[in-house]
Amino acid sequence: MMKMMKMMNKILIIMGFFFVVSCTDDFNEINEQPDALSTEDVSAKFFVTTVQQQLLRPTMIPLWFGDVIMPDQFSGQSSNGWAGSDWTGDLGWVYNSFYTDLGCWDWLAGYNSTLTSYMNNVSEGGALEDDMYYALGLIIKGFYYQQFTEAFGMIPFSEASDPNITLPKYDEQIDVYKGIIADIDKAIAIIGSNVDAGTGFGILRENDVVFNGNMQNWKKTANSLKLRIALRAHGSQGEDFSANAASEAISSGVLADADALFEGYAEETNIWGGSASYGDIWNNFTGSQWKVSEAMINIMKSSNDPRLSKIALPSVGGSMTIVKPTDGEGVTLISDHIAFVKSTLDKSGLILDTDYTWTETAADLTITMPENTNYIGMPSRLSPKLKGYMPDYLFSNPADIITQKTNQGKPLFPTILMTSADSHFMIAEAIVKGLASGDANNYYQIGLAKAMAIWETSPTSDFLGSNMGSLNGTVEENLEKIATQRWLANYTNGYESWSIVRDTGYPTTAVITSDNNDIYSFAGEMNGLQAQRLRYGTSVYGSNGENVNIAVSKQGPDNMTTKLWFAK
């Protein structure tokens, strides 16, 4: 990837890079006529990397203000608010337009400019016309709009890239899904049996960071996305396409033996303008470090999941003293908060006087445990009132591969687009739901093996003997297992993990609500309810107010608790 990125930088300098278009958050300036290119000097292959990178490995702002603060937490996979951190436990849960605008809306809405510029150049009549590069663009477009609509709901889609429409309407989610499937079908038909995109100088290889130009793998990935959308839409009001789409995707061939992963650029030096990794936040802003959630840790511990030691670090442990408050409201809450700390240790499976000791006085509480031994997840969405009771060293951090900083000569964990594990889990789900035939448990077992292979491990006898080891329960119990494994397989892909939770309600411990503001934050206007979507960017009410207000009137209030079509 290093050579490819250096080549990209050279081309950008020479050509001024036609993707430099305005990052509009309401799609008002999408087409800037980026067509004045000569195929004698440039190939579409040189622009594939940027189209992939800006969606899958963006800069610090979308990763930090977006993923880390919102989807990663809303999915129930990470937690903030340990004692001494810069944040409270309800960071992200309490609406803040600064984070939502910069971290999510501006990035996702603005990406359409990059994608549209690429599509204009590789489509029929474009300066770099090539049907295989166009098919690749359609697939990336599908992933983009799936993430966009599942974050916000109704969004500009059908009119978003029309140069003659400056104020596009917001399409209903069912129509966005149908449009994605139509684009996927077109891409699949174009690819056919072709393996390569381009020829000669223009052949796609290392510039495709995901598959090195293997178009058959992209075709399979497209089918997996089609199956994902079919399952997500299944059973929602008015949908009439999921059964057929699921059947077509499975019969055409999903991504079964490879993983669609975007390799992190380990030598990146421009994390604010190029690409960024979790470790860039973790190491540069230590007060913004997060913990692996209670839901993640306890689910893996309860099933003897061998990924536990690969995904998380044991807590630092040692002797940790919690000083009790001496004035204010906190005094009256001491007993409740102490009890909550004890229950957290109980739920993690730790045994008092075996795994840790507990010494409480009138002034403080000291917890002592062996160093680097116990895996303890931190509860999510905690009330700020509890912050002082959450010692840093009590809870598990993400594994080093997740928090590795760029430009240190060490590998970075890749961005997950689609995994073969998820494909097999989804086929199992389709079978259990009656949308396909076959042995659901067989696909589930293959999914387990492939999901663990990503973390360089495999199912153990202890895991296979646990409740999670096979699909041997009722229909609902089996769906819960599949959803939980899909959720685990998408760890670090917070947007997708969050969608799985909202769609299925599983794992139940990742459905984070509150009925006690002294423990779990009501989170302001959320009033204790689950996070269902993100609020629209604030600027659209001024730039495209009529259309966004129409969307709100159809979809429901523009707040974070309004359920989206697929989750109702």
Side-chain angles (χ1 to χ4, degrees):
M1 183 173 177
M2 177 178 67
K3 292 181 179 179
M4 177 267 296
M5 291 298 289
K6 289 180 178 177
M7 176 63 74
M8 280 294 299
N9 290 336
K10 182 178 180 181
I11 293 170
L12 298 188
I13 294 171
I14 293 173
M15 299 190 58
F17 195 32
F18 73 70
F19 285 122
V20 181
V21 294
S22 68
C23 181
T24 58
D25 41 10
D26 58 319
F27 300 83
N28 289 350
E29 300 175 25
I30 288 171
N31 293 296
E32 298 295 321
Q33 303 300 322
D35 308 315
L37 301 171
S38 171
T39 54
E40 297 177 1
D41 303 310
V42 68
S43 163
K45 71 179 182 181
F46 294 121
F47 306 111
V48 169
T49 308
T50 293
V51 172
Q52 294 177 347
Q53 176 262 313
Q54 289 190 8
L55 178 64
L56 302 177
R57 204 84 177 192
T59 64
M60 281 281 282
I61 296 301
L63 180 62
W64 188 6
F65 294 173
D67 294 59
V68 169
I69 291 178
M70 284 173 280
D72 288 356
Q73 290 199 99
F74 297 165
S75 69
Q77 294 182 330
S78 68
S79 304
N80 272 293
W82 45 272
S85 73
D86 292 339
W87 311 113
T88 58
D90 56 4
L91 171 71
W93 307 88
V94 176
Y95 170 69
N96 186 311
S97 62
F98 179 79
Y99 297 133
T100 302
D101 287 358
L102 290 180
C104 302
W105 179 264
D106 291 355
W107 163 56
L108 283 170
Y111 176 78
N112 192 63
S113 296
T114 296
L115 181 63
T116 300
S117 295
Y118 172 85
M119 297 299 283
N120 285 348
N121 276 277
V122 300
S123 62
E124 184 176 358
L128 303 174
E129 178 181 347
D130 187 296
D131 58 352
M132 297 298 286
Y133 281 98
Y134 180 71
L136 175 57
L138 289 174
I139 297 169
I140 294 173
K141 176 185 175 183
F143 278 100
Y144 160 55
Y145 276 108
Q146 181 235 333
Q147 180 171 319
F148 197 5
T149 187
E150 289 176 7
F152 293 95
M154 293 179 65
I155 53 169
F157 177 75
S158 60
E159 298 177 351
S161 300
D162 189 331
N164 298 313
I165 299 176
T166 58
L167 300 176
K169 69 177 181 179
Y170 282 53
D171 294 273
E172 297 194 40
Q173 191 164 70
I174 185 174
D175 296 320
V176 177
Y177 279 164
K178 287 181 177 180
I180 293 172
I181 289 176
D183 283 340
I184 288 173
D185 287 343
K186 186 184 299 183
I188 290 171
I190 291 172
I191 295 172
S193 60
N194 291 297
V195 176
D196 295 324
T199 58
F201 169 75
I203 197 167
L204 181 61
R205 286 290 184 265
E206 69 271 12
N207 299 87
D208 171 13
V209 181
V210 179
F211 284 131
N212 200 39
N214 186 322
M215 295 304 293
Q216 285 304 301
N217 278 344
W218 276 112
K219 179 180 176 180
K220 295 171 185 176
T221 302
N223 276 316
S224 289
L225 176 59
K226 184 175 178 178
L227 178 57
R228 173 187 285 177
I229 292 173
L231 291 172
R232 194 141 294 155
H234 182 65
S236 296
Q237 184 177 4
E239 76 84 11
D240 57 359
F241 61 88
S242 64
N244 187 57
S247 176
E248 289 179 347
I250 294 171
S251 62
S252 178
V254 298
L255 190 65
D257 298 308
D259 298 309
L261 307 174
F262 187 89
E263 175 191 352
Y265 181 36
E267 296 189 13
E268 179 66 78
T269 58
N270 183 15
I271 59 177
W272 297 101
S275 63
S277 299
Y278 281 117
D280 297 317
I281 303 168
W282 185 271
N283 292 283
N284 290 318
F285 303 92
T286 55
S288 295
Q289 293 177 356
W290 57 96
K291 302 295 181 180
V292 183
S293 74
E294 181 178 66
M296 280 284 293
I297 296 292
N298 290 354
I299 285 171
M300 288 189 287
K301 288 179 74 172
S302 66
S303 59
N304 297 305
D305 194 317
R307 286 171 292 187
L308 176 60
S309 63
K310 306 289 186 176
I311 287 175
L313 297 175
S315 61
V316 174
S319 183
M320 298 156 282
T321 298
I322 299 168
V323 178
K324 298 178 180 179
T326 57
D327 55 32
E329 181 187 15
V331 174
T332 62
L333 297 173
I334 289 175
S335 60
D336 289 345
H337 288 170
I338 292 291
F340 180 78
V341 174
K342 181 62 168 61
S343 71
T344 299
L345 297 177
D346 290 344
K347 285 191 287 186
S348 72
L350 270 61
I351 300 173
L352 179 62
D353 294 329
T354 298
D355 298 309
Y356 69 97
T357 61
W358 176 286
T359 304
E360 184 177 0
T361 70
D364 56 41
L365 164 66
T366 298
I367 300 171
T368 303
M369 62 179 60
E371 295 181 359
N372 305 309
T373 301
N374 297 313
Y375 290 89
I376 306 172
M378 182 174 175
S380 301
R381 192 178 176 165
L382 288 180
S383 168
K385 303 172 186 179
L386 261 169
K387 185 174 182 180
Y389 291 82
M390 299 288 119
D392 181 9
Y393 288 180
L394 184 61
F395 300 107
S396 291
N397 290 329
D400 291 340
I401 188 67
I402 302 296
T403 60
Q404 175 58 49
K405 188 178 181 181
T406 57
N407 204 30
Q408 290 189 333
K410 296 181 179 180
L412 307 172
F413 192 73
T415 299
I416 294 174
L417 181 64
M418 178 69 72
T419 66
S420 56
D422 205 6
S423 298
H424 287 286
F425 289 141
M426 287 190 292
I427 294 176
E429 180 179 338
I431 294 171
V432 173
K433 288 182 173 179
L435 299 175
S437 59
D439 185 344
N441 189 56
N442 180 58
Y443 285 103
Y444 182 73
Q445 296 300 321
I446 298 173
L448 290 173
K450 291 186 174 295
M452 294 190 184
I454 291 177
W455 295 95
E456 299 181 348
T457 188
S458 59
T460 62
S461 58
D462 285 342
F463 174 82
L464 293 174
S466 74
N467 182 55
M468 276 289 171
S470 63
L471 298 184
N472 55 6
T474 65
V475 168
E476 194 60 34
E477 287 170 344
N478 289 341
L479 289 175
E480 178 178 5
K481 293 177 186 181
I482 294 168
T484 300
Q485 290 304 317
R486 291 190 61 200
W487 179 77
L488 287 169
N490 278 284
Y491 176 58
T492 71
N493 183 0
Y495 281 94
E496 178 59 21
S497 297
W498 182 30
S499 289
I500 290 169
V501 174
R502 287 176 289 162
D503 180 34
T504 67
Y506 299 122
T508 56
T509 51
V511 179
I512 304 166
T513 59
S514 174
D515 59 5
N516 183 351
N517 196 46
D518 295 330
I519 303 295
Y520 297 102
S521 176
F522 283 168
E525 67 178 25
M526 292 184 68
N527 197 31
L529 298 178
Q530 182 184 7
Q532 295 286 348
R533 63 180 290 274
L534 301 177
R535 288 176 58 168
Y536 291 125
T538 54
S539 63
V540 299
Y541 283 94
S543 61
N544 195 7
E546 181 178 354
N547 284 313
V548 76
N549 280 315
I550 291 173
V552 170
S553 68
K554 293 180 178 179
Q555 180 169 270
D558 185 14
N559 60 44
M560 295 166 63
T561 60
T562 294
K563 283 192 174 184
L564 301 182
W565 175 79
F566 80 85
K568 291 181 178 178

